[in-house]
Amino acid sequence: MQISAKISHFHGVGIPFEVCEMPITATPNDVLVRVSLATICGSDLHTVSGRRGAETPCVLGHEIVGTIAAPTRRRSATGETLHEGDRITWSMTACCGTCDYCVNRNLPQKCETMFKYGHARNAGDSILSGGFASHILLRPGTAIYRLPDAVTDKEAVPINCALTTVVNGLETIGLQAGETAVIHGAGMLGIYAACYLREKGYRCVAVVDTNAGRLEIAKRFGATHTFNPNDKSVAEIDTALKELTNGRGADLGVEVSGATIGIPNLITWLGIGGRCLTLGYVYPNADISVDAHQIVTKCIVLRGVHNYHHTSLGHALGFVAETRTRYPFGELIGKTYPLSDINTAFVDAMNQEALRIAISS
Ligand SMILES: [Zn+2]
Ligand SMILES: [Zn+2]
């Protein structure tokens, strides 16, 4: 099957996106997807601002939902046959399934030949690999999930990056109902972490951010307490958290702000035996300074998680399907721009007009 796809090329920092058309041939061994909606993730902003490098030209965008656009022999992650017209989401990375990371280390997201959608130079066999386009081709080793009919595109679109990263991180560090958590950062990951922890039985979920508007959103998504460092010092937040925990300090810290003060603050706020999960530093040279004496004397576990294990995507999708009537996930997506206005969309996203700005071709 031959189609003409519309794509946007990122050529480098300070250069406007170029929207162009290219012919694509798909066979039944491929999964050709018509992109319904894609959102601008914080990682896309890091790339466009030059905070982290990218090989160009590249089609950005990895938070995507779409519809299968041609017959395929491939199957879903749960073994179902896939049909033209199926609404789907898929893992942000494709893995080989045979290397040491895939087989022995339970880290398929760090596969030796891992491919990451929306991050690759647009050349050779990686054409149509980003979401800011009319179509995308899904390669072997991608975990594909059909979307439940009830879950809308807006509810679904950030699942395959933001939510699944949170779910996999929290599954990795381990959860315990009744605990107290403190989340550093009320961006998309922090908001998802708040509602996920509440649904997992966390008694107190405190969210810390300097953006008062985002703290209000966090309250609608399960935060039991919010703290703004513009109003309260680190020591005052520490005192407040200790009052909530009989003087112990928080059990779980989640760093999703990407600010280098995040881990030092969380190490301060955690109690003895506390666990600290960090997902936020997806750019290089995020140097931090902590009093490691606290890590030792409080027996703190510090754990980083990058990308995610593809099985967590199924769990994340189930979470949204089950809780979508309790949390207004769709409202986390702000304005939707046509692909032809991608440059304006990125300006809005940079200005943090909303937690997510969407693009639809
Ligand atoms: Zn992302
Ligand atoms: Zn592998």
Side-chain angles (χ1 to χ4, degrees):
M1 180 178 178
Q2 179 119 29
I3 58 145
S4 178
K6 205 191 284 182
I7 63 169
S8 63
H9 265 152
F10 171 66
H11 288 289
V13 178
I15 305 171
F17 283 86
E18 174 201 15
V19 178
C20 52
E21 300 231 356
M22 64 188 300
I24 296 296
T25 304
T27 74
N29 294 323
D30 301 312
V31 181
L32 177 69
V33 179
R34 176 76 174 86
V35 174
S36 310
L37 200 63
T39 35
I40 300 174
C41 169
S43 307
D44 295 312
L45 296 179
H46 288 320
T47 304
V48 168
S49 68
R51 203 172 187 189
R52 69 175 195 184
E55 288 193 64
T56 57
C58 137
V59 182
L60 297 176
H62 52 275
E63 290 185 344
I64 317 164
V65 286
T67 302
I68 296 178
T72 179
R73 295 195 191 102
R74 300 256 297 277
R75 289 180 174 264
S76 75
T78 49
E80 303 159 304
T81 50
L82 292 168
H83 303 284
E84 196 175 346
D86 284 350
R87 290 173 68 232
I88 57 168
T89 184
W90 56 91
S91 55
M92 192 167 57
T93 58
C95 61
C96 76
T98 57
C99 75
D100 190 37
Y101 292 111
C102 282
V103 176
N104 299 319
R105 297 177 187 271
N106 202 29
L107 285 170
Q109 71 266 41
K110 304 306 286 188
C111 171
E112 287 172 12
T113 54
M114 184 270 281
F115 180 82
K116 195 168 179 180
Y117 293 102
H119 291 74
R121 183 165 186 272
N122 194 23
D125 66 353
S126 68
I127 51 170
L128 281 191
S129 64
F132 303 142
S134 64
H135 294 78
I136 185 167
L137 273 172
L138 305 186
R139 53 185 59 210
T142 305
I144 300 170
Y145 289 85
R146 289 224 301 258
L147 288 173
D149 290 342
V151 176
T152 66
D153 285 349
K154 281 191 171 181
E155 290 168 339
V157 65
I159 290 178
N160 78 328
C161 175
L163 177 58
T164 309
T165 301
V166 165
V167 169
N168 186 224
L170 294 175
E171 287 175 339
T172 302
I173 197 127
L175 301 181
Q176 183 73 50
E179 285 187 339
T180 290
V182 54
I183 299 166
H184 199 279
M188 202 69 169
L189 276 71
I191 299 295
Y192 278 139
C195 58
Y196 192 81
L197 288 168
R198 282 293 281 164
E199 292 295 318
K200 293 294 175 185
Y202 270 63
R203 190 175 60 84
C204 290
V205 176
V207 178
V208 180
D209 201 291
T210 53
N211 183 320
R214 290 186 170 195
L215 291 178
E216 288 305 310
I217 297 171
K219 286 178 190 167
R220 295 173 64 203
F221 281 81
T224 56
H225 301 77
T226 58
F227 298 103
N228 189 330
N230 290 336
D231 306 330
K232 273 191 162 48
S233 69
V234 171
E236 286 170 330
I237 296 171
D238 188 44
T239 301
L241 288 169
K242 286 203 165 68
E243 281 171 6
L244 292 170
T245 53
N246 294 325
R248 272 185 303 110
D251 304 293
L252 175 67
V254 181
E255 177 7 69
V256 279
S257 71
T260 50
I261 197 64
I263 286 180
N265 283 351
L266 290 172
I267 299 288
T268 300
W269 297 331
L270 285 175
I272 290 171
R275 287 121 51 226
C276 184
L277 171 69
T278 173
L279 304 170
Y281 305 113
V282 290
Y283 58 90
N285 305 313
D287 295 336
I288 61 167
S289 176
V290 294
D291 179 1
H293 180 67
Q294 288 199 71
I295 297 177
V296 171
T297 55
K298 290 203 273 189
C299 305
I300 284 172
V301 172
L302 177 60
R303 174 74 199 228
V305 172
H306 186 223
N307 300 338
Y308 55 79
H309 194 294
H310 50 78
T311 52
S312 293
L313 177 55
H315 305 160
L317 188 54
F319 174 75
V320 169
E322 283 166 24
T323 63
R324 54 184 292 280
T325 56
R326 295 201 278 287
Y327 304 106
F329 294 114
E331 293 178 23
L332 296 172
I333 311 300
K335 200 168 169 186
T336 300
Y337 287 86
L339 186 63
S340 53
D341 285 345
I342 184 171
N343 289 294
T344 315
F346 266 82
V347 170
D348 269 13
M350 287 284 184
N351 291 336
Q352 301 195 328
E353 297 285 334
L355 284 167
R356 282 292 186 270
I357 295 292
I359 292 172
S360 169
S361 62

